[in-house]
mmCIF file of all heavy atoms in Angstrom:
data_model
loop_
_atom_site.group_PDB
_atom_site.id
_atom_site.type_symbol
_atom_site.label_atom_id
_atom_site.label_comp_id
_atom_site.label_asym_id
_atom_site.label_seq_id
_atom_site.Cartn_x
_atom_site.Cartn_y
_atom_site.Cartn_z
ATOM 1 N N SER Y 40 -103.712 -45.972 -118.990
ATOM 2 C CA SER Y 40 -103.169 -45.467 -120.276
ATOM 3 C C SER Y 40 -102.128 -46.453 -120.752
ATOM 4 O O SER Y 40 -101.760 -47.375 -120.070
ATOM 5 C CB SER Y 40 -102.479 -44.122 -120.076
ATOM 6 O OG SER Y 40 -101.188 -44.241 -119.505
ATOM 7 N N SER Y 41 -101.669 -46.180 -121.952
ATOM 8 C CA SER Y 41 -100.510 -46.973 -122.461
ATOM 9 C C SER Y 41 -99.277 -46.583 -121.640
ATOM 10 O O SER Y 41 -99.275 -45.558 -120.945
ATOM 11 C CB SER Y 41 -100.290 -46.634 -123.947
ATOM 12 O OG SER Y 41 -100.109 -45.256 -124.075
ATOM 13 N N PRO Y 42 -98.215 -47.426 -121.714
ATOM 14 C CA PRO Y 42 -97.005 -47.070 -120.966
ATOM 15 C C PRO Y 42 -96.458 -45.696 -121.386
ATOM 16 O O PRO Y 42 -96.393 -45.425 -122.575
ATOM 17 C CB PRO Y 42 -95.995 -48.167 -121.356
ATOM 18 C CG PRO Y 42 -96.831 -49.310 -121.862
ATOM 19 C CD PRO Y 42 -98.062 -48.669 -122.446
ATOM 20 N N GLY Y 43 -96.170 -44.889 -120.423
ATOM 21 C CA GLY Y 43 -95.498 -43.606 -120.691
ATOM 22 C C GLY Y 43 -96.378 -42.470 -121.141
ATOM 23 O O GLY Y 43 -95.885 -41.430 -121.552
ATOM 24 N N ALA Y 44 -97.698 -42.609 -121.035
ATOM 25 C CA ALA Y 44 -98.607 -41.523 -121.475
ATOM 26 C C ALA Y 44 -98.621 -40.370 -120.515
ATOM 27 O O ALA Y 44 -99.130 -39.288 -120.835
ATOM 28 C CB ALA Y 44 -100.013 -42.063 -121.690
ATOM 29 N N GLY Y 45 -98.070 -40.572 -119.309
ATOM 30 C CA GLY Y 45 -97.938 -39.446 -118.407
ATOM 31 C C GLY Y 45 -98.768 -39.583 -117.102
ATOM 32 O O GLY Y 45 -99.020 -38.571 -116.459
ATOM 33 N N LYS Y 46 -99.115 -40.811 -116.732
ATOM 34 C CA LYS Y 46 -99.938 -41.011 -115.499
ATOM 35 C C LYS Y 46 -99.181 -40.550 -114.267
ATOM 36 O O LYS Y 46 -99.727 -39.775 -113.459
ATOM 37 C CB LYS Y 46 -100.247 -42.503 -115.364
ATOM 38 C CG LYS Y 46 -101.077 -43.120 -116.468
ATOM 39 C CD LYS Y 46 -101.332 -44.592 -116.225
ATOM 40 C CE LYS Y 46 -100.138 -45.467 -116.306
ATOM 41 N NZ LYS Y 46 -99.416 -45.452 -117.548
ATOM 42 N N THR Y 47 -97.952 -40.973 -114.061
ATOM 43 C CA THR Y 47 -97.230 -40.663 -112.853
ATOM 44 C C THR Y 47 -96.947 -39.145 -112.745
ATOM 45 O O THR Y 47 -97.079 -38.538 -111.698
ATOM 46 C CB THR Y 47 -95.902 -41.461 -112.748
ATOM 47 O OG1 THR Y 47 -96.199 -42.832 -112.974
ATOM 48 C CG2 THR Y 47 -95.218 -41.262 -111.411
ATOM 49 N N THR Y 48 -96.573 -38.544 -113.918
ATOM 50 C CA THR Y 48 -96.280 -37.112 -113.931
ATOM 51 C C THR Y 48 -97.534 -36.322 -113.538
ATOM 52 O O THR Y 48 -97.440 -35.441 -112.684
ATOM 53 C CB THR Y 48 -95.825 -36.707 -115.316
ATOM 54 O OG1 THR Y 48 -94.817 -37.614 -115.768
ATOM 55 C CG2 THR Y 48 -95.204 -35.281 -115.325
ATOM 56 N N LEU Y 50 -100.159 -37.473 -111.890
ATOM 57 C CA LEU Y 50 -100.556 -37.813 -110.542
ATOM 58 C C LEU Y 50 -99.677 -37.126 -109.484
ATOM 59 O O LEU Y 50 -100.153 -36.636 -108.479
ATOM 60 C CB LEU Y 50 -100.424 -39.339 -110.375
ATOM 61 C CG LEU Y 50 -101.284 -40.000 -109.307
ATOM 62 C CD1 LEU Y 50 -102.690 -39.459 -109.301
ATOM 63 C CD2 LEU Y 50 -101.328 -41.513 -109.555
ATOM 64 N N VAL Y 67 -99.897 -47.463 -106.761
ATOM 65 C CA VAL Y 67 -99.435 -47.455 -108.118
ATOM 66 C C VAL Y 67 -98.965 -48.852 -108.542
ATOM 67 O O VAL Y 67 -98.192 -49.495 -107.834
ATOM 68 C CB VAL Y 67 -98.334 -46.415 -108.356
ATOM 69 C CG1 VAL Y 67 -97.238 -46.470 -107.321
ATOM 70 C CG2 VAL Y 67 -97.751 -46.464 -109.760
ATOM 71 N N GLY Y 68 -99.483 -49.307 -109.655
ATOM 72 C CA GLY Y 68 -99.183 -50.657 -110.120
ATOM 73 C C GLY Y 68 -98.140 -50.630 -111.256
ATOM 74 O O GLY Y 68 -98.179 -49.798 -112.158
ATOM 75 N N ASP Y 69 -97.190 -51.555 -111.180
ATOM 76 C CA ASP Y 69 -96.222 -51.760 -112.228
ATOM 77 C C ASP Y 69 -95.791 -53.233 -112.234
ATOM 78 O O ASP Y 69 -95.826 -53.852 -111.194
ATOM 79 C CB ASP Y 69 -94.956 -50.885 -112.052
ATOM 80 C CG ASP Y 69 -95.058 -49.530 -112.725
ATOM 81 O OD1 ASP Y 69 -95.374 -49.515 -113.896
ATOM 82 O OD2 ASP Y 69 -94.806 -48.521 -112.009
ATOM 83 N N ASN Y 74 -90.114 -47.428 -108.870
ATOM 84 C CA ASN Y 74 -89.791 -46.075 -109.394
ATOM 85 C C ASN Y 74 -90.917 -45.125 -109.247
ATOM 86 O O ASN Y 74 -90.767 -43.968 -108.817
ATOM 87 C CB ASN Y 74 -89.389 -46.127 -110.867
ATOM 88 C CG ASN Y 74 -88.098 -46.887 -111.047
ATOM 89 O OD1 ASN Y 74 -87.486 -47.330 -110.116
ATOM 90 N ND2 ASN Y 74 -87.674 -47.080 -112.308
ATOM 91 N N ASP Y 75 -92.144 -45.534 -109.672
ATOM 92 C CA ASP Y 75 -93.277 -44.594 -109.702
ATOM 93 C C ASP Y 75 -93.707 -44.228 -108.283
ATOM 94 O O ASP Y 75 -94.037 -43.060 -108.007
ATOM 95 C CB ASP Y 75 -94.422 -45.178 -110.486
ATOM 96 C CG ASP Y 75 -94.210 -45.084 -111.970
ATOM 97 O OD1 ASP Y 75 -93.153 -44.612 -112.419
ATOM 98 O OD2 ASP Y 75 -95.109 -45.455 -112.748
ATOM 99 N N ALA Y 76 -93.621 -45.197 -107.340
ATOM 100 C CA ALA Y 76 -94.007 -44.862 -105.981
ATOM 101 C C ALA Y 76 -93.040 -43.826 -105.440
ATOM 102 O O ALA Y 76 -93.467 -42.885 -104.788
ATOM 103 C CB ALA Y 76 -93.945 -46.116 -105.106
ATOM 104 N N ARG Y 78 -91.455 -41.570 -107.072
ATOM 105 C CA ARG Y 78 -91.747 -40.248 -107.692
ATOM 106 C C ARG Y 78 -92.976 -39.655 -107.026
ATOM 107 O O ARG Y 78 -93.012 -38.459 -106.712
ATOM 108 C CB ARG Y 78 -92.016 -40.417 -109.198
ATOM 109 C CG ARG Y 78 -90.716 -40.664 -109.982
ATOM 110 C CD ARG Y 78 -91.045 -41.079 -111.411
ATOM 111 N NE ARG Y 78 -91.777 -40.133 -112.180
ATOM 112 C CZ ARG Y 78 -92.378 -40.425 -113.339
ATOM 113 N NH1 ARG Y 78 -92.299 -41.646 -113.844
ATOM 114 N NH2 ARG Y 78 -93.028 -39.472 -113.970
ATOM 115 N N LEU Y 79 -94.011 -40.468 -106.789
ATOM 116 C CA LEU Y 79 -95.254 -39.951 -106.222
ATOM 117 C C LEU Y 79 -95.048 -39.545 -104.782
ATOM 118 O O LEU Y 79 -95.728 -38.596 -104.289
ATOM 119 C CB LEU Y 79 -96.361 -41.002 -106.336
ATOM 120 C CG LEU Y 79 -96.820 -41.366 -107.784
ATOM 121 C CD1 LEU Y 79 -97.832 -42.468 -107.733
ATOM 122 C CD2 LEU Y 79 -97.360 -40.136 -108.500
ATOM 123 N N GLN Y 88 -96.534 -48.986 -103.679
ATOM 124 C CA GLN Y 88 -96.348 -49.610 -104.966
ATOM 125 C C GLN Y 88 -96.940 -51.014 -104.928
ATOM 126 O O GLN Y 88 -96.778 -51.755 -103.955
ATOM 127 C CB GLN Y 88 -94.859 -49.686 -105.301
ATOM 128 C CG GLN Y 88 -94.545 -50.288 -106.640
ATOM 129 C CD GLN Y 88 -94.514 -49.272 -107.779
ATOM 130 O OE1 GLN Y 88 -93.994 -48.184 -107.640
ATOM 131 N NE2 GLN Y 88 -95.060 -49.649 -108.959
ATOM 132 N N GLU Y 120 -102.902 -45.591 -109.793
ATOM 133 C CA GLU Y 120 -102.318 -45.620 -111.154
ATOM 134 C C GLU Y 120 -102.219 -47.052 -111.590
ATOM 135 O O GLU Y 120 -101.559 -47.868 -110.925
ATOM 136 C CB GLU Y 120 -100.911 -44.958 -111.145
ATOM 137 C CG GLU Y 120 -100.265 -45.094 -112.534
ATOM 138 C CD GLU Y 120 -98.856 -44.481 -112.627
ATOM 139 O OE1 GLU Y 120 -98.519 -43.647 -111.802
ATOM 140 O OE2 GLU Y 120 -98.140 -44.939 -113.536
ATOM 141 N N ASN Y 121 -102.875 -47.433 -112.646
ATOM 142 C CA ASN Y 121 -102.829 -48.790 -113.130
ATOM 143 C C ASN Y 121 -101.553 -49.083 -113.874
ATOM 144 O O ASN Y 121 -100.818 -48.157 -114.241
ATOM 145 C CB ASN Y 121 -104.051 -49.093 -114.024
ATOM 146 C CG ASN Y 121 -104.592 -50.480 -113.857
ATOM 147 O OD1 ASN Y 121 -103.816 -51.432 -113.835
ATOM 148 N ND2 ASN Y 121 -105.918 -50.628 -113.762
ATOM 149 N N VAL Y 122 -101.306 -50.315 -114.155
ATOM 150 C CA VAL Y 122 -100.167 -50.722 -114.981
ATOM 151 C C VAL Y 122 -100.332 -50.107 -116.361
ATOM 152 O O VAL Y 122 -101.482 -50.040 -116.875
ATOM 153 C CB VAL Y 122 -100.109 -52.263 -115.118
ATOM 154 C CG1 VAL Y 122 -98.967 -52.732 -115.990
ATOM 155 C CG2 VAL Y 122 -100.019 -52.905 -113.729
ATOM 156 N N GLY Y 123 -99.246 -49.599 -116.961
ATOM 157 C CA GLY Y 123 -99.368 -49.020 -118.328
ATOM 158 C C GLY Y 123 -99.746 -50.068 -119.359
ATOM 159 O O GLY Y 123 -98.957 -50.905 -119.751
HETATM 160 MG MG1 MG R 302 -96.165 -44.431 -114.182
#
Side-chain angles (χ1 to χ4, degrees):
S40 79
S41 58
K46 298 180 293 300
T47 308
T48 312
L50 204 44
V67 51
D69 269 310
N74 294 357
D75 283 4
R78 286 168 61 195
L79 295 178
Q88 181 88 42
E120 175 181 339
N121 215 316
V122 178

